[in-house]
Amino acid sequence: MSKHQHLKHLLLDKKCLWKSLCGEKSETLIREHFSAILSGVLPIFKDRNWRERFGACLAVEDLLTVGRTAEEIIPFIDDLWNYSLKMVDD
């Protein structure tokens, strides 16, 4: 099993876990707690472990695809931009 196949299985497992914990309310929960979740995820971009950084990228992707407004993202745009440029090295 290659490294990337393992990550696909891990990603599916995490999505199943998230769905079992949140159920159908996941989008509502993300909307209600967007700032807190993103504030908790951003520091992980500086983690030494690349898997943690990769997980943070996936989390941010999920957060931003739920349907954000500019007002929600603007306070974080500098950090998102800087961290995403650093992630290109990974």
Side-chain angles (χ1 to χ4, degrees):
M1 183 181 296
S2 77
K3 174 174 76 170
H4 299 291
Q5 288 174 331
H6 177 69
L7 291 175
K8 287 179 186 178
H9 291 292
L10 184 61
L11 180 60
L12 290 173
D13 290 345
K14 287 183 178 184
K15 284 187 178 194
C16 288
L17 179 62
W18 177 258
K19 227 176 196 169
S20 67
L21 290 172
C22 299
E24 298 299 321
K25 298 180 180 183
S26 68
E27 287 187 24
T28 305
L29 290 171
I30 291 171
R31 282 193 183 96
E32 289 175 2
H33 303 287
F34 174 76
S35 295
I37 295 169
L38 192 55
S39 296
V41 169
L42 285 175
I44 299 172
F45 278 92
K46 295 186 272 184
D47 198 278
R48 293 181 62 182
N49 187 340
W50 72 269
R51 288 187 179 126
E52 299 292 327
R53 295 190 305 269
F54 182 72
C57 288
L58 294 175
V60 167
E61 176 192 16
D62 286 346
L63 284 172
L64 296 178
T65 57
V66 172
R68 300 284 120 230
T69 63
E71 292 81 25
E72 292 173 308
I73 297 173
I74 286 174
F76 301 100
I77 200 74
D78 287 337
D79 288 335
L80 286 168
W81 182 255
N82 289 328
Y83 288 137
S84 64
L85 288 177
K86 289 178 184 175
M87 292 306 297
V88 172
D89 291 338
D90 282 345

